[in-house]
């Protein structure tokens, strides 16, 4: 049997200062190198403990363990999506969507502006620590906005995530203090719509 694999912190596709002024270099380093890394390390620690328990045929608290594991894995996967749907301004960030994602947004929400308003409201009103996500339902072939709490609560099973926005305080407090709304507004300047469209096209091929 192959050696069990563990999660790895992904490298960013851009420099740490590339998203400034929307996200400063200090904030991006803190968010990626500390907070995201903590979810990777947390998930791997649990997996290693489970491996040890299997070898020793030992019992463990399954309820607490799998709940914590889902939290760390959710945090890792959502952050990985988040970095991918961002791009520096002038290098893909903030440009208008095109292709299938533009068509889907127009058909479902009426216009890009109305979608941005609804998505921003969802991000601003996410309770506690959480996320706003644009997902796609294959059962109805509709893009749907989803609020995610604590990485692993209110997730719609089987819905593919096309775009996410992290609205935990660690995602914006260093730059925006407690003004989450200002961070959400600035987010649109660095959205990588090409990546979002690629995710939709990849989904529709399946």
């Amino acid at each position: 049997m192959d050696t069990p694999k563990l999660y790895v912190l992904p490298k960013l596709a851009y420099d740490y200062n590339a998203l400034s002024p929307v996200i400063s270099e200090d904030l991006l380093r803190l968010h990626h190198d500390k907070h995201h890394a903590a979810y990777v390390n947390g998930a791997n620690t649990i997996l290693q403990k489970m491996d040890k328990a299997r070898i020793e045929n030992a019992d463990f608290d399954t309820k607490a363990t799998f709940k914590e594991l889902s939290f760390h894995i959710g945090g890792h996967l959502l952050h990985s999506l988040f970095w991918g749907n961002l791009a520096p301004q002038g290098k893909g960030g903030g440009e208008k969507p095109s292709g299938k994602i533009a068509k889907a947004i127009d058909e479902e929400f009426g216009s890009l502006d109305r979608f941005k308003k609804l998505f921003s409201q969802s991000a601003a009103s996410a309770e506690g620590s959480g996320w706003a996500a644009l997902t796609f339902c294959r059962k109805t072939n509709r893009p749907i906005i989803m609020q995610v709490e604590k990485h692993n609560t209110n997730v719609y099973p089987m819905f593919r995530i096309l775009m996410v926005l992290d609205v935990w305080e660690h995602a914006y407090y260093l730059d925006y203090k407690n003004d989450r709304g200002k961070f959400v507004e600035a987010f649109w300047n660095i959205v990588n719509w090409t990546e979002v469209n690629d995710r939709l096209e990849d989904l529709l091929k399946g």
Side-chain angles (χ1 to χ4, degrees):
M1 183 175 178
D2 294 337
T3 302
K5 295 181 179 179
L6 298 175
Y7 293 104
V8 176
L9 181 69
K11 293 183 179 180
L12 297 177
Y14 34 79
D15 293 334
Y16 284 102
N17 62 357
L19 301 181
S20 181
V22 177
I23 299 176
S24 69
E25 179 177 352
D26 287 344
L27 176 56
L28 188 53
R29 286 186 181 277
L30 178 68
H31 196 171
H32 178 264
D33 295 358
K34 301 297 183 181
H35 289 281
H36 187 173
Y39 301 122
V40 173
N41 295 334
N44 288 339
T45 296
I46 294 172
L47 291 176
Q48 289 169 331
K49 287 181 179 179
M50 291 170 58
D51 289 341
K52 185 173 184 291
R54 182 190 68 248
I55 293 170
E56 298 175 353
N57 196 28
D59 294 330
F60 57 89
D61 186 338
T62 55
K63 181 178 180 180
T65 298
F66 290 127
K67 181 177 180 180
E68 184 179 1
L69 182 61
S70 72
F71 174 80
H72 288 303
I73 291 177
H76 168 49
L77 296 180
L78 286 170
H79 277 93
S80 297
L81 288 168
F82 183 50
W83 308 131
N85 64 229
L86 303 179
Q89 296 182 70
K91 296 182 179 179
E95 298 176 358
K96 286 188 176 182
S98 60
K100 287 183 170 60
I101 189 63
K103 184 172 184 265
I105 286 174
D106 283 342
E107 290 178 350
E108 180 65 26
F109 301 101
S111 68
L112 176 62
D113 287 342
R114 187 168 185 276
F115 161 71
K116 289 169 66 174
K117 178 181 178 180
L118 293 173
F119 188 93
S120 295
Q121 289 174 341
S122 297
S125 63
E127 294 183 1
S129 299
W131 299 73
L134 175 63
T135 68
F136 195 84
C137 173
R138 287 306 306 267
K139 296 293 185 182
T140 60
N141 286 321
R142 298 170 67 145
I144 295 177
I145 294 173
M146 175 174 70
Q147 285 184 327
V148 182
E149 297 174 17
K150 300 178 182 177
H151 302 327
N152 55 348
T153 308
N154 294 346
V155 176
Y156 302 161
M158 305 305 292
F159 278 36
R160 284 281 297 274
I161 295 177
L162 305 178
M163 181 179 75
V164 289
L165 171 57
D166 188 352
V167 288
W168 287 59
E169 285 193 345
H170 68 236
Y172 61 88
Y173 201 87
L174 189 65
D175 289 346
Y176 298 89
K177 301 302 186 282
N178 64 340
D179 195 345
R180 181 192 286 188
K182 187 176 180 180
F183 169 63
V184 172
E185 181 181 354
F187 161 74
W188 298 110
N189 294 314
I190 54 173
V191 173
N192 183 355
W193 284 109
T194 299
E195 173 66 18
V196 179
N197 185 67
D198 287 346
R199 291 173 183 173
L200 177 58
E201 291 195 350
D202 181 64
L203 165 66
L204 295 175
K205 289 176 183 177

